[in-house]
Amino acid sequence: MNKTIKSWSIRLISFGFISFLTIVLTVFNPHLLYANKTVIGNYTIYHNAGLTPEFESRLANVNALIKESELYDDALELKICLNDGSIYPSLMKKLRGPAFGWGFQNIVSFQGAFDYKENTVELNGYKWNLEQLIAHELTHCLQFNELGLLHSNPLGNHPDWKWEGYAEYVSRKNEKQLFLAKNMERIELAIKENPNAWGVFFDDETISPRAYYDSWLLVQYCLDIKGMSYIELLNSDIPKASIEEEMNEWYRNNLKDMN
C-alpha cells in the first residue's frame, strides 16, 4: 500500500514538474504557438493572420517613442505577440489575468482587437491608443533589460506608481500629453465629472486607467520638473505622499502664473 502511494506521489510530482516546464518553455518561446513570424529591424512579430499594410508604420512610430527612453538599447531583440488567432494570448491571460497587454523579459503580448487604421486596441468596451499601448508594454522590456530579473518587478518590488508610471511616461507623448499642467488639468476635470471613473479619456476617445494616469503624473513631475533620471527615481526613498504634495503645490503655483 505504501509503495503504491509513493509511486503515485512520484508520478504526480513528475507530472506537475513536466507541466510547469512545458508552460515555461511555451511562454518564453511564443513561436511554438504561432503560424508566422516577421522580422522588422530588431522586432520579431508573431502572428497567425497576415500583417496589415499599416503595421510597419505603426511599429516605426512605436520605436520612435521608446527610443526617447533613457533605458533604450538598440541591440535589444524584442518579440511582439499579436492577438490574431493564436492561443498564446489566452495562455498569458490565464497566467497573468485579464489586461490590454503584458510586457516581460523581451516579450510583449496583447489582448483586445487591434484596429491599425484607427490606431486603437479595444477591450471590454474601452479603447487604448494602439501605438502607445505597444510602447507601454515594450517599456517594461526596457526596464527588465536594464535592471535584470531580480531587480525588475515583481521580484524587484518597486512601487507600482514608479513601474507603471514610467511606462506611461514613455508612451504618452502626443502633442496634448507633453505638459504636466495640462495633464493635471485633464484629470481635475475628469474627477469633477465622475470621481469614481475607472479611466481617464483623451481627445481621441482612448483611455488610460486612472491608477496608471495618476502614476504617470508623478513620474512626469519627477523627471520633467525635478530633473531626476528614472534610475534616480527608482532608487529614491522620497515618500509618494511627499511627491504628491510637491506636485500639487507646483500645479497651484503654475496656475497662478498662467493666470
Side-chain angles (χ1 to χ4, degrees), residues 63-73 139 142-143 166 169-170 173 230:
N63 193 62
L65 286 172
I66 67 170
K67 280 186 74 172
E68 296 301 312
S69 167
E70 68 187 74
L71 306 183
Y72 183 76
D73 179 358
T139 299
L142 301 185
Q143 291 167 316
Y166 186 66
Y169 174 81
V170 171
K173 287 288 169 49
Y230 179 58

Side-chain angles (χ1 to χ4, degrees), residues 42-198:
N42 61 321
Y43 295 94
T44 300
I45 298 87
Y46 296 101
H47 55 105
N48 274 12
L51 297 179
T52 69
E54 299 87 3
F55 183 89
E56 192 162 352
S57 63
R58 295 293 181 199
L59 185 61
N61 292 338
V62 168
N63 193 62
L65 286 172
I66 67 170
K67 280 186 74 172
E68 296 301 312
S69 167
E70 68 187 74
L71 306 183
Y72 183 76
D73 179 358
D74 59 7
L76 178 62
E77 300 291 333
L78 294 160
K79 301 176 182 180
I80 297 177
C81 303
L82 299 181
N83 183 32
D84 64 351
S86 168
I87 64 171
Y88 186 85
S90 298
L91 173 63
M92 293 303 303
K93 181 180 179 181
K94 289 181 179 179
L95 294 174
R96 301 287 301 272
F100 273 86
W102 308 271
F104 59 99
Q105 198 186 41
N106 66 333
I107 302 171
V108 295
S109 177
F110 300 96
Q111 288 284 304
F114 277 43
D115 187 322
Y116 295 100
K117 290 183 179 180
E118 188 182 63
N119 192 29
T120 60
V121 181
E122 191 275 331
L123 181 67
N124 297 330
Y126 293 104
K127 292 182 179 180
W128 200 305
N129 182 287
L130 183 151
E131 292 175 359
Q132 293 184 348
L133 176 63
I134 299 175
H136 176 111
E137 300 305 337
L138 287 172
T139 299
H140 290 317
C141 298
L142 301 185
Q143 291 167 316
F144 185 96
N145 182 60
E146 177 72 20
L147 301 169
L149 174 63
L150 296 180
H151 298 287
S152 296
N153 278 5
L155 296 180
N157 201 33
H158 299 291
D160 281 347
W161 73 267
K162 293 183 180 182
W163 199 254
E164 296 296 344
Y166 186 66
E168 286 291 271
Y169 174 81
V170 171
S171 63
R172 302 293 184 183
K173 287 288 169 49
N174 74 33
E175 66 276 7
K176 294 186 177 180
Q177 298 170 335
L178 294 176
F179 302 106
L180 179 59
K182 291 295 184 182
N183 293 331
M184 293 184 71
E185 182 181 45
R186 184 186 294 112
I187 187 64
E188 190 175 54
L189 295 173
I191 290 173
K192 287 180 180 178
E193 183 174 340
N194 185 352
N196 300 314
W198 175 78

Side-chain angles (χ1 to χ4, degrees), residues 2-17:
N2 289 336
K3 289 183 177 180
T4 301
I5 294 174
K6 184 178 180 180
S7 175
W8 275 105
S9 297
I10 292 173
R11 290 180 184 180
L12 288 173
I13 291 171
S14 298
F15 177 76
F17 182 68

